[in-house]
């Protein structure tokens, strides 16, 4: 049973690979005849940051604004001639943003950028078909890094290739094995893909399942004198497919755990908050809280950004906070009292004039107020 | 010291629920230990907040000592009762012998899957321990209450924004959903009371316990329903490996996992009660069905699904009686609603819209394209043909659970296809999250059918071999 299951799965995997590459090849594969543009560090043009070349590697130190940028010194290329990009990078800091940038030469020059979502950057294959704006003639192509002053990025490869079956399979594997950190939408849905992924992992798993089951059927037909149908083989094929799909998910979870550990391990709650994704808001609230009187005053949190408003309100608890998701950012004037605090979290549609001691709020009117605290995150005033 | 207190805070619910269930679950039940501790721990996680709620209602300030003492007293009572309980005959080593009778390859696969589950749970546990509270709703309407109640050591009322404004905020607090049940925030309060300080990581450990208890109870109930250990472990792995279920543990703070766990625990107990008429299973089904109401407002429709299932199971042989009971119940419910709250009906009707095509597309993508539940969507497609190949599957053997699940799935689809909540499917903010409330129950149903089919396949094969040999 085990042998026939493994054989069915192997045949299924081969069949799936053939199907993917033959039935769903990259567009324009047949018309492509340009050679690959292989990475040559000496020919790259660094426009931001300080370059250093070692062999065929390019080291870029980000400039004072935390920007590093280079382009390939290649003549204009036809986008449709190249279906894949291969990247191999090493970063000194984990939070450096990397974007593939290109400009189209056709019509009005348009700049495009695809910010890499996947954090597996040591060897990453991208399908250009999934990059919005990858068409016509490409005048310039390069990479842009955004981080902090002094961060370094080592570029080991940045090549572009025409379509081939192996590159397509490598690109699919890159999509499956890549990982990204948690984001705000993580609780709602997990697609298993990035914006530039070619296939849904679930569909690939279903493809493998169907191909393996068909292979099992074929084996049953060919070896009908020796084999009889065994539902356990079907069950085992299904389980293996599930486990394969799950191993990619488990790998993402482990990468995420490593990131979480690097960011938070060994810290107490307070320290975690000052290092977490809401560090800026938490620090703003922490600085503000001691300035508020603790006589049960009410705190109204207002912001045009729902997330920032909601998070700021949360950090103010256990004080008596008011924040409305869908309603008016501030209630009617008659509902506001002297002594109430209004926390304006940027961005906000209000205007506070410290000289005039006046808070101007749309749909509420002018309110007399005094400044309590203000920094780059927001402003806190007390109504007079 | 914090570690000890945290372990104590996690142990008390497990002991509380487990030791009480230990009193009522018959000794001869297959996988009894897993059944007792899986369901018991889940029950304990629901009970502890109710103890805190009761203490608060009695005017006693919330404290780990007072709630811990009540829990300890209840645990002591369970232990005492057990000591005086007449000794039951125990079928020694039934589970163990079933396990050792498995072929070596099956045992190997069993341990491999168990290992994968352990790795998963360790991974998720560390993620909880290191990460502060992260998800959106957790800081919008769950932990808000926990934060205030922990600080005031009292369940200060939360009211709607407009009521808060009307009252001038005097003696009341407000957040996005003041009407949500108290269980989840009180569970976070309990964890913080244990260490005496607000800790946004440790307070989320019950989510990990919930996942482990769900898996344990799932395995045990499958064993009770007749599944072999390997099949039970396989489906347990399928359940615990679902990405969105994992995410709701790693980024703990939402109630959906708890609701999914209690609803599934209720369904599993209900199914095994219909098979065995074991009182303990019946009691568990009732308690977990009612627990749905204590977790989240969506728990009400899920709890209601037990009613038609129960009626159909009880009156299976008397079609007229069954129809008459169902009709009368519907009529009574309608009359009560009209008498008590006519506005409610118009309010409910105002949510109904025309067919929401975006909702359908979103639901399809969430279940069959996105990796939320791995391949569960495709397993669900197989339910009907699988059920049809088993004589009497939908009309007899699995009538109760299939009725409850059919009602639940119908309500789920109605919500996203014909109400204003269709937007939650088209923009993927609600559909997958709600699906994890039903996914464990649906997977249990799939497991029952698969186990049944595989057993039939094996029996047929054995019969064929025996006939050939003869």
């Amino acid at each position: 049973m085990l042998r026939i299951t493994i054989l069915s799965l192997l045949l299924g995997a081969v069949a799936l690979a053939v199907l993917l590459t033959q039935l769903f090849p990259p567009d324009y594969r047949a018309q492509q005849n340009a050679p690959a543009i292989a990475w040559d560090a000496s020919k790259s043009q660094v426009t931001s940051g300080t370059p250093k070349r070692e062999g065929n590697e390019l080291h870029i130190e980000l400039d004072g604004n935390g920007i590093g940028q280079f382009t390939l010194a290649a003549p204009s290329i036809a986008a449709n001639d190249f279906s894949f990009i291969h990247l191999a990078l090493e970063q000194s800091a984990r939070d450096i943003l990397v974007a593939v940038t290109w400009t189209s030469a056709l019509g009005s020059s348009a700049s495009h950028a695809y910010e890499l979502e996947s954090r597996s950057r040591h060897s990453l294959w991208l399908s250009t078909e999934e990059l919005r704006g990858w068409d016509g003639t490409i005048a310039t192509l390069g990479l842009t890094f955004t981080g902090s002053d002094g961060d370094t990025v080592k570029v080991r490869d940045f090549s572009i290739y025409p379509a081939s079956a192996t590159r397509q399979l490598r690109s699919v594997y890159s999509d499956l094995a890549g990982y990204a950190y948690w984001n705000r939408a993580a609780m709602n849905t997990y697609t298993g893909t990035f914006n530039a992924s070619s296939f849904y992992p679930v569909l690939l798993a279903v493809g493998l399942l169907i191909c393996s089951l068909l292979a099992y059927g074929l084996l049953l037909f060919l070896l009908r004198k020796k084999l009889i149908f065994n539902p356990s083989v079907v069950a085992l094929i299904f389980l293996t497919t599930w486990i394969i799909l799950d191993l990619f998910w488990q790998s993402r979870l482990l990468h995420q755990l490593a990131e979480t550990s690097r960011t938070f391990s060994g810290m107490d709650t307070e320290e975690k908050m000052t290092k977490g994704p809401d560090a800026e808001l938490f620090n703003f609230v922490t600085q503000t809280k001691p300035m508020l009187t603790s006589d049960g005053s009410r705190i109204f949190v207002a912001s045009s950004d729902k997330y920032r408003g909601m998070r700021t309100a949360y950090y103010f608890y256990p004080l008596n906070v008011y924040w409305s998701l869908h309603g008016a950012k501030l209630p009617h004037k008659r509902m506001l009292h002297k002594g109430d605090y209004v926390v304006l979290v940027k961005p906000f549609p209000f205007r506070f004039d410290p000289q005039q001691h006046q808070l101007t709020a749309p749909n509420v009117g002018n309110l007399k107020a005094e400044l309590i605290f203000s920094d780059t995150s927001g402003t806190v005033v007390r109504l007079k | 010291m914090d570690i000890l207190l945290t372990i104590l805070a996690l142990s008390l619910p497990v002991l509380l629920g487990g030791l009480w269930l230990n009193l009522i679950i018959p000794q001869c039940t297959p996988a009894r230990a897993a059944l007792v501790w899986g369901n018991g721990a889940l029950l304990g996680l629901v009970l502890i907040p109710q103890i805190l709620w009761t203490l608060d209602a009695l005017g006693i300030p919330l404290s780990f000592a007072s709630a811990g003492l009540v829990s300890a007293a209840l645990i002591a009572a369970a232990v005492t009762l057990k000591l005086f309980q007449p000794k039951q005959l125990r079928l020694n080593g039934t589970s163990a012998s079933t396990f050792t009778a498995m072929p070596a390859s099956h045992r190997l696969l069993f341990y491999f899957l168990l290992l994968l589950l352990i790795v998963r749970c360790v991974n998720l546990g560390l993620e909880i321990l290191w990460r502060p509270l992260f998800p959106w709703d957790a800081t919008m309407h769950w932990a808000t209450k926990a934060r205030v109640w922990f600080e005031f050591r009292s369940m200060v009322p939360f009211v709607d924004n407009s009521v808060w404004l009307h009252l001038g905020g005097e003696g009341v607090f407000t957040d996005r959903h003041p009407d949500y049940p108290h269980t989840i925030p009180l569970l976070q309060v309990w964890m913080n009371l244990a260490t005496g300080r607000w800790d946004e990581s440790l307070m989320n450990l019950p989510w990990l316990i919930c996942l482990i208890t769900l898996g344990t109870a799932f395995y045990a109930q499958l064993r009770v329903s007749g599944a072999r250990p390997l099949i039970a472990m396989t489906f347990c792995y399928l359940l615990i490996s679902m990405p969105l279920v994992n995410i709701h543990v790693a980024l703990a703070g939402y109630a959906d996992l708890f609701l999914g766990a209690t609803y599934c625990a209720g369904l599993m107990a209900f199914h095994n009660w219909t098979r065995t008429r074991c009182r303990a299973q019946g009691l568990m089904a009732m308690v977990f069905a009612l627990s749905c109401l204590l977790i989240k407002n969506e728990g009400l429709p899920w709890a209601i699904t037990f009613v038609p299932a129960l009626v159909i199971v009880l009156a299976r042989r008397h079609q007229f009686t069954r129809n008459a009971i169902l009709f009368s119940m519907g009529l009574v419910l309608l009359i009560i609603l009209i008498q008590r709250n006519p506005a409610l009906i118009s309010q409910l009707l105002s949510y109904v819209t025309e067919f929401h095509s975006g909702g359908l597309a979103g639901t399809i993508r969430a279940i069959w394209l996105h990796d939320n539940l791995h391949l569960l969507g495709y397993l669900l497609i197989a339910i009907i043909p699988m059920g049809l190949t088993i004589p009497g599957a939908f009309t007899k053997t699995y009538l109760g659970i299939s009725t409850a699940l059919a009602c639940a799935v119908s309500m789920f689809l109605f919500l996203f296809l014909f109400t204003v909540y269709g937007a939650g499917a088209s923009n993927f903010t609600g559909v997958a999250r709600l699906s994890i409330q039903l996914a464990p129950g649906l997977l249990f149903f799939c497991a029952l059918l698969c186990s049944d089919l595989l057993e039939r396949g094996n029996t047929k094969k054995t019969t064929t071999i025996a006939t050939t040999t003869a």
Side-chain angles (χ1 to χ4, degrees):
Chain A
M1 183 181 86
L2 197 61
R3 262 183 294 178
I4 207 76
T5 308
I6 293 170
L7 191 59
S8 303
L9 281 162
L10 286 175
L11 287 172
V14 172
L16 178 66
V18 172
L19 279 175
L20 279 182
T21 53
Q22 300 309 310
L23 292 184
F24 305 100
D27 293 343
Y28 311 109
R29 185 177 67 171
Q31 294 96 314
Q32 290 176 347
N33 36 29
I37 300 176
W39 169 242
D40 184 350
S42 62
K43 290 183 181 170
S44 56
Q45 294 172 346
V46 176
T47 49
S48 296
T50 314
K52 197 174 103 184
R53 290 177 176 85
E54 275 180 19
N56 201 27
E57 287 180 354
L58 172 67
H59 298 239
I60 298 182
E61 188 181 318
L62 307 195
D63 65 14
N65 296 321
I67 303 289
Q69 196 170 36
F70 77 91
T71 54
L72 292 178
S76 292
I77 54 168
N80 293 343
D81 279 343
F82 299 94
S83 298
F84 297 101
I85 295 174
H86 181 247
L87 277 166
L89 307 172
E90 276 177 39
Q91 301 170 193
S92 66
R94 297 184 312 277
D95 51 358
I96 297 176
L97 302 176
V98 182
V100 178
T101 51
W102 67 97
T103 51
S104 299
L106 267 184
S108 58
S109 294
S111 296
H112 301 278
Y114 167 68
E115 194 175 289
L116 296 186
E117 301 149 274
S118 173
R119 296 275 162 171
S120 308
R121 293 167 184 171
H122 55 280
S123 177
L124 179 67
W125 286 87
L126 283 174
S127 167
T128 56
E129 212 174 280
E130 305 297 331
L131 304 180
R132 196 169 293 171
W134 185 272
D135 51 18
T137 304
I138 308 273
T140 62
L141 173 66
L143 288 178
T144 303
F145 309 104
T146 312
S148 305
D149 179 17
D151 284 349
T152 57
V153 181
K154 191 194 289 180
V155 185
R156 289 191 287 107
D157 191 21
F158 181 50
S159 309
I160 49 174
Y161 296 94
S164 82
T166 50
R167 287 175 201 133
Q168 189 185 359
L169 292 175
R170 282 176 174 183
S171 158
V172 169
Y173 180 77
S174 265
D175 292 341
L176 289 172
Y179 64 96
Y181 302 147
W182 300 127
N183 60 43
R184 288 180 208 167
M187 296 300 282
N188 295 331
T189 196
Y190 172 68
T191 61
T193 60
F194 303 109
N195 287 332
S197 295
S198 306
F199 297 95
Y200 282 103
V202 165
L203 285 188
L204 291 174
V206 171
L208 175 63
L209 177 67
I210 293 170
C211 290
S212 303
L213 291 177
L214 288 174
Y216 177 51
L218 186 69
L219 289 171
L220 279 175
F221 176 73
L222 294 174
L223 307 170
R224 55 188 174 279
K225 286 181 183 165
K226 289 182 186 171
L227 279 180
I228 54 163
F229 174 73
N230 185 350
S232 300
V233 174
V234 176
L236 213 51
I237 288 173
F238 180 81
L239 175 64
T240 312
T241 314
W242 187 299
I243 290 175
I244 292 169
L245 182 61
D246 188 48
L247 286 178
F248 288 112
W249 162 240
Q250 176 68 67
S251 155
R252 285 185 182 188
L253 266 183
L254 284 167
H255 276 109
Q256 174 62 56
L257 182 66
E259 171 61 20
T260 305
S261 166
R262 277 192 290 264
T263 315
F264 296 116
S265 72
M267 294 179 184
D268 62 25
T269 299
E270 190 94 353
E271 288 169 330
K272 283 178 190 174
M273 307 309 277
T274 58
K275 298 283 177 193
D278 298 326
E280 174 219 336
L281 296 175
F282 179 77
N283 292 333
F284 169 67
V285 174
T286 309
Q287 288 179 74
T288 308
K289 264 185 176 176
M291 299 173 196
L292 311 181
T293 51
S294 54
D295 57 354
S297 300
R298 307 184 305 169
I299 297 161
F300 293 84
V301 176
S303 175
S304 301
D305 183 314
K306 284 175 182 164
Y307 178 81
R308 287 171 64 83
M310 182 272 288
R311 281 295 219 235
T312 306
Y314 169 69
Y315 294 128
F316 269 110
Y317 284 102
L319 300 177
N320 207 346
V321 193
Y322 174 96
W323 170 80
S324 176
L325 178 64
H326 297 304
K329 289 177 180 60
L330 272 184
H332 194 272
K333 211 171 177 176
R334 65 184 154 80
M335 296 287 190
L336 297 166
H337 304 153
K338 184 183 170 189
D340 285 343
Y341 292 97
V342 178
V343 179
L344 307 170
V345 186
K346 286 179 182 169
F348 51 80
F350 307 99
R351 197 163 45 81
F352 176 68
D353 185 342
Q355 270 78 45
Q356 299 291 320
H357 296 289
Q358 188 162 288
L359 174 69
T360 310
N363 304 323
V364 177
N366 295 333
L367 299 160
K368 282 281 167 205
E370 61 177 326
L371 179 69
I372 300 294
F373 179 74
S374 184
D375 75 1
T376 51
S377 304
T379 301
V380 182
V381 297
R382 180 167 48 209
L383 299 185
K384 293 209 292 188
Chain B
M1 193 61 185
D2 277 1
I3 297 172
L4 281 178
L5 287 167
T6 305
I7 292 172
L8 184 64
L10 292 173
S11 307
L12 282 173
V14 177
L15 290 171
L16 176 63
L19 290 170
W20 274 97
L21 282 190
N22 189 38
L23 287 174
I24 58 167
I25 292 178
Q27 290 290 341
C28 56
T29 313
R32 186 176 182 276
L35 189 68
V36 166
W37 295 106
N39 286 289
L42 187 59
L43 183 63
L45 288 176
V46 178
L47 282 180
I48 287 285
Q50 312 321 317
I51 291 173
L52 285 169
W53 177 81
T54 311
L55 290 174
D56 183 75
L58 294 171
I60 301 167
L62 300 177
S63 80
F64 188 67
S66 56
L69 272 175
V70 174
S71 311
L74 288 170
I75 288 168
V79 172
T80 314
L81 284 171
K82 185 69 186 169
L83 289 175
F84 290 101
Q85 202 178 36
K87 291 271 181 286
Q88 288 180 13
L89 253 181
R90 189 173 181 153
L91 296 178
N92 278 327
T94 311
S95 294
S97 63
T98 316
F99 192 77
T100 47
M102 284 201 302
S105 57
H106 286 202
R107 255 182 290 162
L108 198 67
L109 183 55
F110 184 97
Y111 285 127
F112 172 68
L113 293 173
L114 185 63
L115 181 73
L116 287 179
L117 290 183
I118 292 170
V119 170
R120 182 71 46 102
C121 290
V122 171
N123 186 339
L124 295 174
L126 288 173
E127 185 75 41
I128 288 178
L129 276 177
W130 285 328
R131 177 170 289 281
L133 202 64
F134 178 77
W136 184 296
D137 282 13
T139 53
M140 191 164 71
H141 52 238
W142 293 112
T144 45
K145 296 178 186 72
R147 186 78 182 93
V148 173
W149 294 346
F150 170 73
E151 196 65 28
F152 286 80
R153 300 293 196 269
S154 164
M155 290 176 67
V156 187
F158 271 70
V159 295
D160 188 50
N161 281 173
S162 56
V163 177
W164 186 88
L165 285 171
H166 182 73
L167 295 172
E170 285 293 318
V172 289
F173 282 75
T174 185
D175 67 6
R176 173 73 187 132
H177 278 292
D179 57 330
Y180 270 10
H182 55 257
T183 303
I184 297 298
L186 281 179
L187 206 50
Q188 293 176 321
V189 170
W190 165 255
M191 293 303 296
N192 284 308
L193 286 174
T195 53
R197 61 185 169 81
W198 181 254
D199 190 316
E200 292 205 352
S201 303
L202 291 182
M203 74 177 187
N204 293 328
L205 280 173
W207 272 257
L208 178 68
I209 304 295
C210 179
L211 182 77
I212 296 170
T213 59
L214 173 63
T216 314
F218 195 87
Y219 172 83
Q221 291 286 25
L222 275 176
R223 294 282 294 114
V224 173
S225 65
R228 294 178 182 217
L230 181 59
I231 294 175
M233 177 52 77
T234 301
F235 277 91
C236 181
Y237 164 75
L238 300 190
L239 172 64
I240 302 299
S241 65
M242 288 180 191
L244 204 59
V245 171
N246 292 174
I247 289 171
H248 275 245
V249 179
L251 306 178
Y254 280 28
D256 304 87
L257 178 73
F258 277 90
L259 185 51
T262 43
Y263 183 56
C264 178
L267 275 178
M268 295 189 297
F270 175 72
H271 169 70
N272 281 325
W273 172 78
T274 60
R275 279 182 63 250
T276 61
R277 289 292 194 265
C278 169
R279 279 185 206 163
Q281 294 281 11
L283 191 66
M284 280 198 293
M286 199 174 70
V287 170
F288 284 125
L290 292 174
S291 297
C292 292
L293 307 173
L294 299 169
I295 308 286
K296 209 178 173 189
N297 290 352
E298 288 105 284
L300 175 65
W302 303 154
I304 288 173
T305 62
F306 285 92
V307 178
L310 182 68
V311 170
I312 282 178
V313 164
L314 290 179
R316 186 165 58 84
R317 289 184 189 167
H318 307 283
Q319 203 172 13
F320 176 76
T321 318
R322 179 185 63 198
N323 292 340
I325 293 174
L326 278 176
F327 180 75
S328 320
M329 280 175 57
L331 205 65
V332 168
L333 190 70
L334 200 68
I335 290 168
I336 291 173
L337 275 179
I338 290 169
Q339 292 292 319
R340 288 286 175 98
N341 195 351
L344 186 67
I345 292 178
S346 55
Q347 197 186 338
L348 286 174
L349 287 175
S350 70
Y351 290 126
V352 179
T353 59
E354 286 182 355
F355 174 67
H356 201 300
S357 57
L360 178 64
T363 306
I364 290 172
R365 288 168 80 93
I367 309 292
W368 286 285
L369 277 184
H370 293 172
D371 198 12
N372 293 310
L373 310 168
H374 278 338
L375 299 175
L376 178 67
Y378 295 88
L379 204 53
L380 292 178
I381 293 175
I383 277 187
I384 295 172
M386 273 199 291
L388 291 176
T389 56
I390 304 169
F394 296 125
T395 54
K396 197 175 164 188
T397 324
Y398 307 113
L399 180 66
I401 189 169
S402 53
T403 305
L405 282 170
C407 292
V409 170
S410 304
M411 284 197 270
F412 175 87
L413 291 176
F414 184 79
L415 184 75
F416 290 113
L417 304 188
F418 295 100
T419 72
V420 291
Y421 296 105
S426 51
N427 61 16
F428 308 117
T429 52
V431 66
R433 204 147 51 81
L434 210 69
S435 75
I436 67 165
Q437 298 172 10
L438 299 185
L442 288 166
L443 185 69
F444 182 75
F445 187 46
C446 292
L448 292 174
L449 292 175
C450 286
S451 167
D452 202 336
L453 269 181
L454 287 173
E455 281 304 315
R456 282 163 199 265
N458 285 338
T459 317
K460 205 186 261 180
K461 208 165 72 181
T462 316
T463 319
T464 315
I465 292 165
T467 318
T468 317
T469 317

